[in-house]
Amino acid sequence: MTTRKEMKKRAKAVLKRHYIIFVVACLIGMFVGSEFDSSTNFLVKGKNGSTVEVETSGKEEEVTVENGITEGSKGAMDVLEKMIAGDSEGGKQLADEIVEDEVESSKEKENNVLGRSRGILAGLVNTMTSGTIYVKLASGLTSIFHSESAISVLLIFISMIGTVGIWAFLENMYQVVSRRIFLEGRTYERVTMQRFLYLLRIRKWLKVSWTMLVCSVIKTLWYFTIVGGVIKYFSYYMIPYIVAENPDIGP
């Protein structure tokens, strides 16, 4: 019978042998929002309610920090909000301003590996991060429906579908991917980065996503019973490991 001391010794040996890939797995989970969200707190440079100096369009100004984000910072979601509100001109103007700021910021960096000022990749990145894609989508819908209210409803619907899709097919199921990495690290001497694409290679990504989705829905329903939610949290705790071991298993 394996003792607790022996288990800890083996765990330390596995961690030492696969330290880099384990850290990468955790970092990916953190940045895709799957797990370890609280670990991003170390990235926050100012406390909530405090003011920090930032440079915007060549000018230094003080902005308020709220939830780790400066009050003056704008992004694609701000553009989407304007488009949903029917302010298409304001959304287009904001998207252009964000692109301009990103390009200027990119030019000022000494190590500009991912340039944002020119090239096909730069244009694609700027379109996605600035919210220009929402402006183009709204423009296309306008030419078809000729109704601002209908466009707002469609944009809300599309954003909801996109959010649920990203959660179901990436954030939620990444738990299985990370568990697969940990389990293989425990079993094999060498685990490569290609193992992150294991589910794609065996064509089980959609099936695993469906299994994890069913699990999440059932757990959510159990939370309405209060006591059942606490119990089922632990009852279903090992599901990502079970699915990681056998991706072909059904919900």
Side-chain angles (χ1 to χ4, degrees):
M1 182 176 178
T2 305
T3 64
R4 180 182 178 86
K5 186 176 180 179
E6 291 173 340
M7 291 175 64
K8 290 175 67 176
K9 185 178 180 180
R10 291 180 185 177
K12 288 180 180 179
V14 170
L15 178 60
K16 185 177 180 180
R17 185 165 60 245
H18 302 291
Y19 183 78
I20 293 178
I21 197 167
F22 283 177
V23 170
V24 170
C26 293
L27 286 175
I28 293 175
M30 179 180 72
F31 285 111
V32 301
S34 176
E35 297 175 285
F36 319 119
D37 289 348
S38 60
S39 300
T40 57
N41 291 340
F42 74 93
L43 297 175
V44 179
K45 294 183 179 179
K47 295 180 179 180
N48 289 341
S50 64
T51 58
V52 295
E53 288 188 358
V54 297
E55 187 173 335
T56 307
S57 301
K59 299 179 181 179
E60 287 192 358
E61 56 182 12
E62 288 189 348
V63 295
T64 304
V65 175
E66 188 64 36
N67 294 326
I69 302 174
T70 55
E71 193 180 56
S73 61
K74 297 294 181 181
M77 294 308 298
D78 297 288
V79 175
L80 179 60
E81 287 179 8
K82 285 185 176 292
M83 302 306 296
I84 291 175
D87 187 7
S88 56
E89 188 61 34
K92 184 178 183 302
Q93 184 177 353
L94 178 58
D96 291 339
E97 290 176 2
I98 294 173
V99 171
E100 185 179 345
D101 289 341
E102 291 292 346
V103 170
E104 289 300 320
S105 175
S106 176
K107 288 179 178 179
E108 292 172 2
K109 294 178 181 178
E110 295 180 2
N111 185 19
N112 187 14
V113 179
L114 294 176
R116 302 289 291 275
S117 57
R118 59 183 178 180
I120 297 175
L121 179 59
L124 179 62
V125 172
N126 288 334
T127 298
M128 297 297 295
T129 59
S130 67
T132 304
I133 187 173
Y134 298 126
V135 176
K136 292 181 178 180
L137 179 60
S139 178
L141 292 173
T142 300
S143 63
I144 298 174
F145 296 100
H146 305 286
S147 172
E148 289 190 356
S149 58
I151 293 170
S152 297
V153 172
L154 283 171
L155 285 175
I156 293 172
F157 179 74
I158 291 171
S159 62
M160 288 177 62
I161 293 296
T163 301
V164 173
I166 291 172
W167 172 79
F169 295 110
L170 181 60
E171 293 182 15
N172 193 36
M173 66 84 54
Y174 181 76
Q175 298 177 56
V176 177
V177 175
S178 60
R179 268 53 173 190
R180 181 76 190 190
I181 296 295
F182 298 146
L183 288 172
E184 289 194 3
R186 178 176 176 268
T187 306
Y188 304 118
E189 289 292 325
R190 185 170 179 267
V191 181
T192 64
M193 293 294 179
Q194 295 178 347
R195 304 307 293 173
F196 283 102
L197 303 177
Y198 171 75
L199 294 177
L200 281 176
R201 188 172 61 81
I202 64 173
R203 299 179 182 178
K204 297 297 180 182
W205 193 283
L206 293 179
K207 185 163 188 176
V208 169
S209 298
W210 172 246
T211 301
M212 294 303 295
L213 176 61
V214 172
C215 174
S216 297
V217 171
I218 292 175
K219 284 199 296 185
T220 301
L221 294 176
W222 272 109
Y223 283 134
F224 286 106
T225 65
I226 303 176
V227 175
V230 177
I231 296 173
K232 292 302 177 180
Y233 173 81
F234 293 101
S235 296
Y236 298 150
Y237 192 81
M238 298 303 292
I239 284 181
Y241 291 93
I242 295 172
V243 179
E245 275 194 321
N246 182 13
D248 202 41
I249 195 171

